[in-house]
Amino acid sequence: MSSQGETSPKPEARRGSVVAHPELSDADDAAVLARLGYKQELRRNFTMIEVFGIAFSIMGLLPSIASTLAYSIPAGPVGLVWGWFLASGFIFIVGLAMADLGSAMPTSGGLYWWTHFFASPATRNPLSFLVGYSNTLGLVGGLCSIDYGFSLMFLSVIVIASDGTYTPSNGVIYAVFLACVLLHGILASTMSRIMGKLQTVFVVMNFILIFATIIALPIGKAMNRNDGAYIFATTANLTTWPTGWAFMLAWLSPIWTIGAFDSCVHMSEEAANATKAVPYGILMSIGSCWFFGFILVIVIAACMDPNLENILGSSFGQPMAQIYYDAIGKQGTLGLMSLLFVVQFLMGLSILVAASRQTWAFSRDGALPFSKFFRPISVTFGYIPLRAVWGCVFLAAVMGLLSLIAPAAAQALFSLAVAGNNLAWGTPIFCRIMWGQKKFQPGPFYTGDRLSVPIAWVAIVFLVFGMFLSMFPVGGPNPTPQTMNYTVVINCAVWFGALAYYYIAARKWFTGPKITIDTDGLTEEQAEAIRDEGLEIKGLDPVLGKGEEAGIERGEKDEIAVS
């Protein structure tokens, strides 16, 4: 106990070696978590639909598409439509690879936990440390980019209402951003008991906006919609890159939009029946965005001004605002843009919840500065990591100061979420197939022995490609300081800074997460592979004999300590 109202729940129910507070979890979910080395501390109040809901809410399909049209429109309708379809398909493959892991080992710190479990003995600690920092900062970067997008959308409504006579300064943009972040912190702290139910509301709000747009735009442009040849076969290139590479840069829109599916992993310890809720939440959220996003970009391509420079150079500061304005006029635009920024606000609340769970999980394993401070759970506020929530809010407020420098610096927040998370997603998948395949025990969801490894390799290649793509200047080669993409600077600072911190200081005390496993579920091959990795299994004989030969009582869990 660290302070009043902040403590770990007292054990009041026990099944085998699993300790769980009956208010928090049933025995089966607690048993799965205990096998990974953790006791149940968060309340499991998210159903499978609500786990899907938090990922889908963070993706915020239409607001995210609207925020990233500057990446896709320069490549023309082909880039907008087919770029979405192709990139989303590859993202679904990444989701399949992560779903395999999420079903087998559902824990809030899953990405760095999986990395440590599957990596080689020489690399497990530094890689786990790197993934944890990259994922944590990537999620906070996602919060920054979402709330920065909210600020721009909110202010665009004021610009439209003033008929373009008002131009917000960078200081005003940051002030709205800061107010948004602080309000998210208050709501995430005080609404924890209904946060799962709220995700259903958020999903409904998303679909209201989606269907309103799908209906309103074609009606408004009924007399002069673009034809099928324009929508599906017309290319453009408003960059100085070759046309083919401009098409690839259009992939950044779906890559950024469908980039929150790992939030299902971070909610693992608050999900009922997590071994199924996590993988299906991942795939349902990606699949929904793939399908409905494809419909949306077709509608947008059918209804937008063929003069693409008019859209990108809109005085409203938002390409989507101009598309609405051209189709449904000022009043209709004000209505839909208002709904758009409301949904964007809900996105930010959901990603703050997910980011705080990753931050808390990483501090639980002592990896973050001030881990002891961020570690406690607040019982008073509903068994949530209250301090981790406000830690993320503070960090987002500091990172958001980039918006005061220049738009190019602010745009790097978008790419920080892409590159940082891509590294965090790809590393555990790579470690599993490179070093840990024999140790992998599938959960209820599994793509199968034949497909699992090829799917993982495709996912890795795509994620690496996405990292490099996010670092290219969007406008073309030879960028100016104003058009430079600073993602490479920010991400390299994060990655090299994390590794430098590890090798200078953290290697002396960071040994990764505590690992436990149910030895009754291990095959001889899996047990031998774990022993070969340098992991000492306490309570078992040297050849990992049967439980009765090692004197293990039925139902007991055996601890694995890093040697």
Side-chain angles (χ1 to χ4, degrees):
M1 182 179 301
S2 75
S3 64
Q4 188 176 4
E6 295 193 355
T7 183
S8 298
K10 296 179 181 179
E12 296 187 8
R14 185 177 180 89
R15 181 182 178 188
S17 63
V18 179
V19 177
H21 192 295
E23 186 181 348
L24 302 184
S25 171
D26 66 22
D28 291 334
D29 278 320
V32 171
L33 186 59
R35 197 181 67 205
L36 304 179
Y38 301 121
K39 63 182 178 180
Q40 187 69 45
E41 298 182 75
L42 305 176
R43 179 184 284 122
R44 292 188 182 269
N45 54 3
F46 281 73
T47 65
M48 181 186 297
I49 295 300
E50 290 162 354
V51 171
F52 150 75
I54 196 166
F56 189 75
S57 298
I58 296 171
M59 292 173 183
L61 185 57
L62 186 51
S64 294
I65 291 175
S67 296
T68 54
L69 283 175
Y71 294 119
S72 51
I73 285 181
V78 165
L80 178 64
V81 173
W82 293 116
W84 181 276
F85 184 82
L86 293 174
S88 298
F90 281 108
I91 295 168
F92 191 82
I93 292 174
V94 176
L96 286 170
M98 188 176 291
D100 277 347
L101 293 172
S103 180
M105 295 170 284
T107 176
S108 295
L111 299 175
Y112 74 85
W113 198 100
W114 302 335
T115 299
H116 190 273
F117 183 72
F118 290 120
S120 67
T123 61
R124 62 166 55 102
N125 287 344
L127 284 182
S128 175
F129 199 77
L130 173 63
V131 166
Y133 271 91
S134 187
N135 189 213
T136 301
L137 292 176
L139 286 167
V140 177
L143 172 62
C144 287
S145 60
I146 288 172
D147 284 2
Y148 182 76
F150 165 84
S151 179
L152 294 179
M153 288 182 188
F154 177 83
L155 292 169
S156 73
V157 172
I158 299 176
V159 173
I160 294 168
S162 67
D163 295 318
T165 59
Y166 170 71
T167 302
S169 65
N170 287 341
V172 171
I173 293 172
Y174 178 76
V176 175
F177 163 85
L178 182 60
C180 179
V181 172
L182 292 174
L183 186 53
H184 282 150
I186 294 170
L187 295 177
S189 302
T190 58
M191 304 182 72
S192 62
R193 289 177 173 83
I194 60 171
M195 191 59 68
K197 300 294 184 290
L198 285 176
Q199 301 310 312
T200 303
V201 177
F202 296 173
V203 169
V204 171
M205 292 286 290
N206 269 278
F207 278 114
I208 289 174
L209 178 60
I210 289 169
F211 287 118
T213 299
I214 290 173
I215 294 169
L217 284 182
I219 292 176
K221 297 283 286 188
M223 302 304 295
N224 58 344
R225 288 196 295 265
N226 300 315
D227 60 18
Y230 178 82
I231 297 169
F232 297 106
T234 301
T235 61
N237 186 4
L238 301 185
T239 75
T240 55
W241 293 109
T243 300
W245 191 246
F247 173 77
M248 300 310 301
L249 287 170
W251 288 30
L252 285 172
S253 176
I255 287 173
W256 186 82
T257 299
I258 314 177
F261 50 87
D262 66 315
S263 60
C264 298
V265 176
H266 302 311
M267 302 309 295
S268 293
E269 295 177 37
E270 294 173 76
N273 195 14
T275 55
K276 292 183 179 179
V278 171
Y280 287 111
I282 291 171
L283 298 179
M284 288 164 58
S285 59
I286 297 174
S288 297
C289 281
W290 186 5
F291 176 74
F292 289 105
F294 190 54
I295 294 174
L296 275 171
V297 294
I298 290 173
V299 170
I300 290 172
C303 300
M304 67 185 183
D305 185 349
N307 188 337
L308 302 179
E309 292 182 348
N310 288 345
I311 300 174
L312 293 176
S314 170
S315 61
F316 301 143
Q318 281 285 305
M320 194 68 205
Q322 188 65 52
I323 293 170
Y324 279 143
Y325 193 88
D326 292 340
I328 56 179
K330 178 179 177 180
Q331 297 306 317
T333 300
L334 288 173
L336 285 180
M337 285 300 294
S338 296
L339 184 56
L340 198 70
F341 76 66
V342 169
V343 174
Q344 182 96 352
F345 178 86
L346 301 179
M347 290 167 58
L349 177 57
S350 294
I351 198 172
L352 174 58
V353 172
S356 66
R357 273 46 173 186
Q358 160 61 22
T359 303
W360 170 76
F362 209 33
S363 66
R364 176 174 58 182
D365 291 309
L368 289 177
F370 313 109
S371 285
K372 290 183 179 180
F373 175 80
F374 291 116
R375 170 70 179 82
I377 294 295
S378 173
V379 176
T380 302
F381 284 85
Y383 294 96
I384 64 167
L386 182 67
R387 295 180 181 182
V389 169
W390 285 96
C392 291
V393 167
F394 176 77
L395 183 58
V398 173
M399 292 171 64
L401 290 171
L402 284 171
S403 65
L404 295 174
I405 301 174
Q411 285 297 113
L413 295 174
F414 283 79
S415 298
L416 171 63
V418 172
N421 283 325
N422 275 22
L423 182 137
W425 300 338
T427 302
I429 298 171
F430 175 79
C431 290
R432 175 205 148 190
I433 58 177
M434 188 68 184
W435 295 300
Q437 185 62 21
K438 291 182 179 179
K439 293 191 291 184
F440 177 65
Q441 292 180 272
F445 176 90
Y446 183 43
T447 52
D449 292 336
R450 282 188 174 184
L451 295 178
S452 183
V453 173
I455 285 172
W457 277 118
V458 173
I460 291 166
V461 171
F462 175 74
L463 289 171
V464 171
F465 172 73
M467 286 170 54
F468 283 104
L469 189 67
S470 70
M471 296 181 183
F472 274 78
V474 176
N478 304 314
T480 66
Q482 289 72 35
T483 61
M484 173 63 182
N485 185 340
Y486 291 95
T487 303
V488 63
V489 177
I490 293 176
N491 277 277
C492 285
V494 170
W495 296 334
F496 288 112
L499 289 175
Y501 178 36
Y502 173 79
Y503 283 108
I504 293 172
R507 65 182 177 83
K508 301 173 184 177
W509 46 264
F510 180 76
T511 58
K514 180 181 178 182
I515 303 174
T516 64
I517 199 164
D518 183 357
T519 54
D520 292 338
L522 292 175
T523 66
E524 290 293 332
E525 183 181 32
Q526 290 164 340
E528 182 66 26
I530 289 174
R531 187 175 60 177
D532 289 345
E533 289 297 324
L535 300 176
E536 177 187 350
I537 304 178
K538 297 180 181 179
L540 293 179
D541 61 22
V543 295
L544 296 175
K546 295 181 179 179
E548 58 267 27
E549 295 174 352
I552 302 174
E553 298 178 5
R554 181 176 300 182
E556 290 295 315
K557 311 298 180 200
D558 300 291
E559 206 173 81
I560 299 179
V562 179
S563 62

